[in-house]
Amino acid sequence: MNQFLPPRQRAVLTALVLFFVAGDWLGQSTQAEYGDVVINNYSDDAGMRPVVFPHWFHRIRYRCKVCHGDLGFEFKAGGNDINMLKIIDGEYCGACHNGEHAWAVENCDVCHSAKPGTPTQVHESTLQKLIAPVDRP
Amino acid sequence: MGLLCVLTLTALASNWQKLAEDGLHDPTNPALKLLQDPTESLSVLPPDSTGNKVDWIRALQNGDIKPRSNILEQLEDEILDLDVLIMAAGSAPIVRFPHKAHTEWLDCSNCHEHLFKSKAGATQFTMLDILQGEYCGTCHGAVSFPLTECNRCHSVDPDEANRIQREMATAKAEADDKQ
């Protein structure tokens, strides 16, 4: 059947088949909320739990453009070089988590809340299901 | 009937995992109890079948949620009510891109000009790019509704597309005449 399709459609078809089959096959051991982002550029190495950013919680309170415009967050998990110094300086998460807009950073474990060793990624994302089975049982 | 209610309730209750049981959060973290479980705030919003199981567009339009538009600058809300049809190659139904639903959440600069050119048909990309997390896939399949929802994007049948394009051409001609 494949030889009847032009190469591009064939590629799309293959990707889609992979996507549905692989998604089921590899099974997801996590059932994190859709859009939860784990950020682990530095945390593990520093002996802290990786950070979980819940999109669902934030988009109830802020439109996408607040963080992805005003505050300069790139649309890419791990693509923002966020570190603790910048946050305390009022950049990135620190623009709000400063005791003014939202609670300040003194309770580390509220953000550093993922299982140790969880890689940077967007949970439940189509891409994750397609190519990157994480933490298989 | 009672059984049906119970079944529906169980189905609803299982929509959102408790944080301590989601396989992502460390259940030994003492601060976990300070965090809100998704069920608390998501179960009261208009339901959807995928993603966060919340129809975010309806939640915003109904006023169920009132997310802020800015923190630092006074970013003006700029809502654009303009649908763009994107002709997919091959036999896939044509895609309708609605500016309105997007500009209620996003600023023009979130997409223009680095993701999409401000000219219908000027941006070249394929479904494969989208599946790899580029173009529409920057957001869809990550935070906005998942890519498995083919027909939410591929929503225009060819007859309707022809009609819409004729209407748009006429409207444009009329607008040009007025000037």
Side-chain angles (χ1 to χ4, degrees), chain B residues 137-179:
Chain B
T138 308
C139 306
H140 292 281
V143 176
S144 322
F145 65 75
L147 294 176
T148 36
E149 302 301 299
C150 315
N151 47 16
R152 290 195 197 180
C153 291
H154 293 277
S155 60
V156 187
D157 67 52
D159 290 343
E160 202 201 339
N162 284 335
R163 186 183 56 73
I164 295 171
Q165 278 185 320
R166 271 200 309 274
E167 273 176 21
M168 286 188 341
T170 325
K172 189 167 179 301
E174 278 169 10
D176 287 348
D177 278 350
K178 281 202 189 104
Q179 279 173 1

Side-chain angles (χ1 to χ4, degrees), chain B residues 109-152:
Chain B
S109 66
N110 288 139
C111 292
H112 295 300
E113 301 291 321
H114 66 294
L115 286 182
F116 302 105
K117 305 209 173 79
S118 296
K119 185 169 185 311
T123 320
Q124 292 297 319
F125 59 102
T126 66
M127 197 59 223
L128 207 57
D129 296 326
I130 298 175
L131 284 165
Q132 285 169 343
E134 294 169 57
Y135 300 98
C136 319
T138 308
C139 306
H140 292 281
V143 176
S144 322
F145 65 75
L147 294 176
T148 36
E149 302 301 299
C150 315
N151 47 16
R152 290 195 197 180

Side-chain angles (χ1 to χ4, degrees), chain A residues 14-26:
Chain A
T14 316
L16 288 172
V17 169
L18 252 178
F19 160 60
F20 286 115
V21 178
D24 281 349
W25 240 9
L26 302 166

Side-chain angles (χ1 to χ4, degrees), chain A residues 22 38 43 56 101 114 118 121 129 132 134 136:
Chain A
V38 173
S43 293
W56 63 268
H101 286 289
T118 315
Q121 65 193 298
K129 292 188 170 174
V134 259
R136 252 184 282 175

Side-chain angles (χ1 to χ4, degrees), chain A residues 8-9 19 31 33-35 49 56 59 61 63-66 68 70 96 107 109 113 115 123 125-127, chain B residues 16-17 22 24 26 29 34 52 67-69 71-72 77 89-90 104-105 110 131 141-144 148:
Chain A
R8 203 167 90 189
Q9 253 110 321
F19 160 60
Q31 301 189 319
E33 195 48 45
Y34 186 72
R49 292 185 191 89
W56 63 268
R59 72 181 293 187
R61 295 158 177 82
R63 288 176 160 82
C64 320
K65 62 182 170 186
V66 173
H68 294 293
D70 259 15
C96 298
N107 197 342
D109 295 335
S113 60
K115 285 183 178 163
H123 272 272
S125 73
T126 311
L127 200 60
Chain B
W16 300 278
Q17 275 292 324
D22 69 0
L24 168 63
D26 183 350
N29 177 0
L34 299 177
N52 296 119
R68 292 177 53 149
S69 295
I71 291 181
L72 303 177
D77 274 342
E104 277 165 3
W105 291 96
N110 288 139
L131 284 165
V143 176
S144 322
T148 36

Side-chain angles (χ1 to χ4, degrees), chain B residues 21 31 44 55 57 64 70 72 77 87 99-100 105 117 129 155:
Chain B
E21 295 161 13
V44 297
D55 183 337
I57 295 175
D64 297 325
N70 55 57
L72 303 177
D77 274 342
M87 311 294 161
H99 268 96
K100 185 157 186 294
W105 291 96
K117 305 209 173 79
D129 296 326
S155 60

